[in-house]
Amino acid sequence: MEFKLQEIPVRAHEEFAMLRITDTVRDCVAHSGIRNGVVFVITEHTTTGITVNESLPCVEEDIMETLDRIAPEEHSYHHNHYLPSYGTIGGNAPGHLKSLLTGNHCVFPIAEGRVLLGSAADIYFCEYDGIKDRKYMIYMMGE
Amino acid sequence: MVIDTHIHPALFAPICTDANRFGQRCDEMNYHLMKPSDMGLLKEQYALADIGRVVLLPEDCSAETGTPAISNDEIAQLVAIDPAFYLGMAAVDPRRVDACAELERAFAELGLSGLKVNTARLKMYPSDERLRPLYALCRRYRKPILFHAGLCLENRALAKYAHPMEFEEIAQDYPDVNICLAHFGWPWVQETAALLIKYPNLYANTALVNFDGPYQLFEKVFRQDMGEDWLEHNLADKVMFGSGSPRIRPVRSKRGMDSLGLSPKVMDKIYRHNAIKFFGLEEAE
């Protein structure tokens, strides 16, 4: 059994964005030497998410707008207060909640050196608190 | 285009190359668990709020700390990266033996655009005789003064030295010098508003960082602590937008300001025109 980890930097150029990372994950697996196993895609942050969905602009808009309705910017959140541990105002409660809804990772099988995904499925890194420099991990296990 | 009149560049990467100095600065200014940001990233963040010009604020309590937390040279270094975008203020600890010479150097050689004074941090009242030679230099060089006013979240700072009413004497004694009370003098916002209606040379900025999120905070300060029409009808020519970054992201501060629903004419004054007037910038900007 082999274990391989890649850390991928990413910057969305918008405050809120869904970035398609399917090709990056596929390339990483293809170059890993692992033929059969699993791959985990995991974000390192608490105001971002990793998810799978169909890569249509209309679907992406519906996802982001639905998340906005569930966690609107203007709501009065417990997190909206001065945080002495940072010296800043906690202004990103919606990002934390959207991250909770999306989840921090996805898992896929690796078979014959390829990532197995449904025909309509794409992998996304979701930015809910941009613009920031972010990282996600691609962790591959197998042989 | 929006002008942000209140940004502390404590986390700007070009001046964060020395880890010890960066740590000392963050401890002094009370910023924690944050990393330096590259200039490209910062500009992308400002663009989210349509910010096209940023005023950078230094910090000098070097008589107490040994070195300025953010020096005039560091401000000049950042301005030089993009002079059309950044406007730099100077700061001088008046207890320095070379205080006047340093301010003159900041104006004449470094080309900085005004004086930032934090009397809460210096623990001296604005009318302190040690500060007056610096005010006189601002008059001579026709440079504005931006005072920290009200509560200061930095360590070793006392708000009593920055109560808005403490600045009245300076507004009166230097009528030809533009003066800004930052943070709207919070929590003494009515006192700040009172001074604004009396002194033509006095301005305030909106760098509010204290309770709740920006929507709740701006509503509380500008709709409840003040009369609903004070900004729209009385103070439209006296208030400038300022975020107070990095304690709050500029785009969030602007959302709070936007949520007040002021008329487009007044918003343009607060976001842009009043700062052009205050800093003596070209109207085209």
Side-chain angles (χ1 to χ4, degrees):
Chain A
M1 178 85 81
E2 282 192 79
F3 302 88
K4 293 202 172 171
L5 175 66
Q6 286 276 322
E7 199 176 42
I8 310 291
V10 61
R11 181 191 292 183
H13 298 286
E14 297 169 89
E15 193 174 8
F16 316 108
M18 292 181 72
L19 305 179
R20 208 171 66 91
I21 58 171
T22 316
D23 292 344
T24 305
V25 176
R26 285 192 194 281
D27 288 350
C28 201
V29 168
H31 291 95
S32 70
I34 293 176
R35 300 287 298 164
N36 294 288
V38 290
V39 55
F40 295 81
V41 184
I42 309 165
T43 178
E44 297 187 12
H45 310 280
T46 57
T47 54
T48 64
I50 302 288
T51 193
V52 172
N53 222 295
E54 186 168 9
S55 177
L56 292 171
C58 52
V59 173
E60 293 170 4
E61 278 186 63
D62 282 334
I63 291 169
M64 294 302 263
E65 286 182 14
T66 300
L67 290 172
D68 279 341
R69 283 197 296 275
I70 295 169
E73 284 290 315
E74 67 275 18
H75 183 72
S76 180
Y77 296 98
H78 291 282
H79 188 45
N80 282 150
H81 69 103
Y82 176 67
L83 299 165
S85 55
Y86 284 84
T88 63
I89 293 287
N92 58 358
H96 285 292
L97 297 172
K98 291 171 184 177
S99 175
L100 168 81
L101 293 166
T102 311
N104 80 325
H105 70 279
C106 284
V107 187
F108 308 95
I110 301 171
E112 301 302 325
R114 293 177 59 244
V115 180
L116 295 189
L117 274 173
S119 60
D122 265 293
I123 311 168
Y124 287 94
F125 175 90
C126 301
E127 175 59 81
Y128 301 128
D129 185 24
I131 300 170
K132 285 183 178 175
D133 286 324
R134 306 293 207 170
K135 288 178 189 164
Y136 62 91
M137 296 176 280
I138 301 175
Y139 189 57
M140 295 152 284
M141 303 165 57
E143 47 195 21
Chain B
M1 188 269 276
V2 173
I3 300 174
D4 189 332
T5 63
H6 200 114
I7 286 193
H8 301 277
L11 309 172
F12 282 33
I15 63 167
C16 298
T17 51
D18 181 326
N20 287 336
R21 177 156 168 65
F22 177 63
Q24 188 181 4
R25 174 190 298 148
C26 288
D27 285 345
E28 185 180 337
M29 300 184 77
N30 204 9
Y31 301 127
H32 311 287
L33 304 174
M34 291 189 283
K35 294 175 186 168
S37 295
D38 73 61
M39 302 299 278
L41 176 67
L42 289 162
K43 239 179 152 173
E44 285 194 64
Q45 290 182 351
Y46 300 143
L48 295 174
D50 192 30
I51 291 168
R53 193 118 206 215
V54 159
V55 179
L56 301 177
L57 306 179
E59 170 107 347
D60 184 357
C61 286
S62 56
E64 176 187 316
T65 60
T67 181
I70 303 174
S71 72
N72 296 327
D73 289 295
E74 286 169 327
I75 294 289
Q77 177 191 344
L78 295 171
V79 171
I81 291 169
D82 192 346
F85 191 82
Y86 293 109
L87 201 73
M89 301 291 275
V92 182
D93 188 324
R95 296 166 293 188
R96 285 171 60 163
V97 290
D98 66 341
C100 284
E102 171 59 11
L103 187 58
E104 282 212 78
R105 186 182 77 87
F107 289 161
E109 291 180 29
L110 301 179
L112 298 182
S113 301
L115 174 65
K116 162 76 191 309
V117 183
N118 186 341
T119 52
R121 183 69 187 80
L122 291 167
K123 296 192 188 74
M124 60 178 71
Y125 289 102
S127 56
D128 193 294
E129 288 303 319
R130 291 170 290 182
L131 282 162
R132 286 186 177 268
L134 302 180
Y135 304 154
L137 275 173
C138 290
R139 169 182 275 158
R140 196 172 117 210
Y141 280 86
R142 298 179 180 276
K143 303 282 189 182
I145 304 171
L146 190 147
F147 284 109
H148 172 94
L151 181 75
C152 179
L153 291 169
E154 290 182 27
N155 294 322
R156 293 178 285 182
L158 293 175
K160 70 174 183 176
Y161 294 105
H163 189 290
M165 286 304 174
E166 297 292 342
F167 298 101
E168 182 174 18
E169 193 176 333
I170 307 307
Q172 189 172 69
D173 291 352
Y174 299 87
D176 48 347
V177 176
N178 282 343
I179 293 169
C180 174
L181 302 186
H183 309 284
F184 222 95
W186 189 91
W188 300 290
V189 296
Q190 289 205 356
E191 286 82 345
T192 300
L195 296 176
L196 290 178
I197 60 171
K198 181 175 178 186
Y199 296 97
N201 59 326
L202 201 62
Y203 294 71
N205 80 18
T206 64
L208 293 168
V209 185
N210 43 75
F211 286 103
D212 301 329
Y215 293 91
Q216 294 78 26
L217 175 58
F218 277 70
E219 169 72 18
K220 173 77 169 74
V221 167
F222 292 113
R223 291 275 188 250
Q224 296 172 23
D225 293 345
M226 295 185 209
E228 280 200 15
D229 293 323
W230 286 15
L231 272 186
E232 183 75 35
H233 295 169
N234 302 269
L235 304 175
D237 296 311
K238 309 302 292 290
V239 178
M240 302 182 283
F241 175 73
S243 64
S245 170
R247 295 202 196 279
I248 188 170
R249 205 86 63 81
V251 69
R252 296 199 178 111
S253 182
K254 183 168 179 291
R255 283 198 190 107
M257 193 72 225
D258 286 340
S259 71
L260 294 175
L262 299 170
S263 67
K265 185 178 167 189
V266 170
M267 293 302 265
D268 184 53
K269 288 180 176 183
I270 291 172
Y271 279 139
R272 195 177 69 93
H273 186 71
N274 292 342
I276 288 172
K277 200 169 49 164
F278 180 81
F279 288 101
L281 304 174
E282 291 297 318
E283 195 63 37
E285 293 184 79

